Amino acid sequence: MHSLYLFYSNPVAFSFFGFTIHWKGIITMTAVFAGILYCIHAGKKNWIGKKQIFELFFIGLPLSIVTARIYYIIFNWGYYKYNLIEIPMLWEGGIAIHGGLIGAFLFLFMYAHNMGFSFWRLADTIAPGLLLGQSLGRWANLITQEAYGEAVNLSFLYSLRLPDFIIDRLFIYGSYRHPTFLYSSLWNFIGFLLLLLLNDKYLKKGEVFLVYLLWNSLGRFWIEIYRADSLMMEDLKIAQAFTFLVTCICLITFPYRRIKGTADRHPLS
């Protein structure tokens, strides 16, 4: 238990030669490499090599971090317009996953076009890996005390059978909070398992990606009900508006592609 206390009480894992390594970075990179390993495995079935997977992640990931930061700043411009010097300070926190996903899939589309790949084939390959990475990466929010929920009674957290090292870290701004990081982590991991189950038997080309978008959006819309640090526009939670729009697009696109037969083409097309 002493080692767990050190883990959650100190965001710094270790330092060497003047470099400081944070637990958030370790967890994030673990999540990234777990997603990469899955995508390499999935790529073998979709005729996508390791080189392409690494290019997608190691070029697409930095770009998605930039768009995630831009997205966050846009919806917090009331603060940043008076603190311009803080805009590049990523180490202080402040990125939005939906901004990152927008950047990631714009890059994916351009990469597929330039390389002569099918966008749907690439998207199907990486979608489950993204859910796996998101599931693991959410644990970084526990360390940084980000993505926290509304205030709850301590008895509620004990009713969830959470260990003390999680409960202690959920004490934020004078109150215990909904473990929304955990809701997100479990939802994404269940979605990862669901895509593994449905992929080969029931889903056609492009539909793994669409189910990923749908699952991710439904979960985020629900979890935002309990979030206390959401990006807001007046009284509207930005994430809920975004996920509602994505859900509607998926519910239209899924049957449309089946009716038109575009989901039935050869997987290389």
Side-chain angles (χ1 to χ4, degrees):
M1 291 300 296
H2 181 65
S3 61
L4 282 176
Y5 174 79
L6 291 176
F7 171 68
Y8 69 72
S9 64
N10 186 358
V12 177
F14 56 88
S15 300
F16 67 100
F17 299 110
F19 292 96
T20 300
I21 306 300
H22 290 77
W23 285 114
K24 179 179 181 179
I26 292 174
I27 294 171
T28 301
M29 292 310 300
T30 299
V32 169
F33 280 106
I36 288 174
L37 289 176
Y38 170 80
C39 291
I40 289 173
H41 168 74
K44 294 177 182 177
K45 295 189 297 183
N46 290 334
W47 297 279
I48 299 172
K50 292 181 182 179
K51 178 178 181 291
Q52 285 74 39
I53 297 297
F54 280 117
E55 286 177 346
L56 286 172
F57 274 88
F58 289 109
I59 300 176
L61 182 61
L63 291 176
S64 67
I65 292 173
V66 171
T67 57
R69 180 64 170 173
I70 292 172
Y71 185 98
Y72 182 85
I73 289 170
I74 287 173
F75 292 108
N76 281 283
W77 184 243
Y79 172 82
Y80 283 103
K81 68 182 179 181
Y82 299 112
N83 298 275
L84 297 176
I85 195 172
E86 295 184 23
I87 288 177
M89 295 182 180
L90 277 171
W91 55 90
E92 296 291 341
I95 60 174
I97 190 170
H98 288 136
L101 291 176
I102 290 171
F105 289 115
L106 283 175
F107 171 72
L108 182 67
F109 180 83
M110 291 186 292
Y111 182 87
H113 176 75
N114 291 334
M115 298 294 292
F117 283 107
S118 163
F119 167 79
W120 295 108
R121 179 161 61 99
L122 286 175
D124 280 349
T125 300
I126 69 170
L130 290 178
L131 277 177
L132 178 60
Q134 288 173 233
S135 176
L136 296 174
R138 276 299 178 187
W139 284 84
N141 295 141
L142 178 65
I143 306 303
T144 59
Q145 294 184 306
E146 296 174 317
Y148 56 87
E150 299 284 355
V152 295
N153 294 324
L154 181 59
S155 58
F156 171 79
L157 297 179
Y158 278 121
S159 72
L160 298 179
R161 308 296 183 186
L162 298 177
D164 287 341
F165 81 92
I166 290 181
I167 291 176
D168 291 347
R169 202 65 185 159
L170 291 172
F171 190 75
I172 304 169
Y173 296 128
S175 301
Y176 287 98
R177 303 287 179 164
H178 268 289
T180 45
F181 87 93
L182 184 59
Y183 302 160
S184 295
S185 179
L186 292 175
W187 181 266
N188 288 328
F189 189 70
I190 292 170
F192 170 70
L193 297 178
L194 179 67
L195 286 184
L196 294 186
L197 177 66
L198 296 177
N199 191 355
D200 293 330
K201 291 185 178 180
Y202 304 104
L203 298 178
K204 298 182 179 181
K205 191 187 68 175
E207 292 178 350
V208 173
F209 174 59
L210 290 174
V211 172
Y212 160 78
L213 290 177
L214 186 60
W215 184 266
N216 193 65
S217 297
L218 291 174
R220 184 61 185 270
F221 189 92
W222 160 62
I223 292 166
E224 280 294 313
I225 296 172
Y226 304 102
R227 283 279 294 269
D229 62 341
S230 304
L231 294 176
M232 303 291 295
M233 181 180 290
E234 301 296 337
D235 295 328
L236 178 67
K237 289 191 173 183
I238 301 301
Q240 285 189 316
F242 185 92
T243 53
F244 178 77
L245 176 62
V246 172
T247 298
C248 291
I249 292 173
C250 289
L251 291 177
I252 294 171
T253 304
F254 200 105
Y256 176 81
R257 294 182 74 248
R258 287 234 172 176
I259 293 170
K260 295 288 289 185
T262 55
D264 298 323
R265 294 201 298 260
H266 189 277
L268 282 178
S269 61

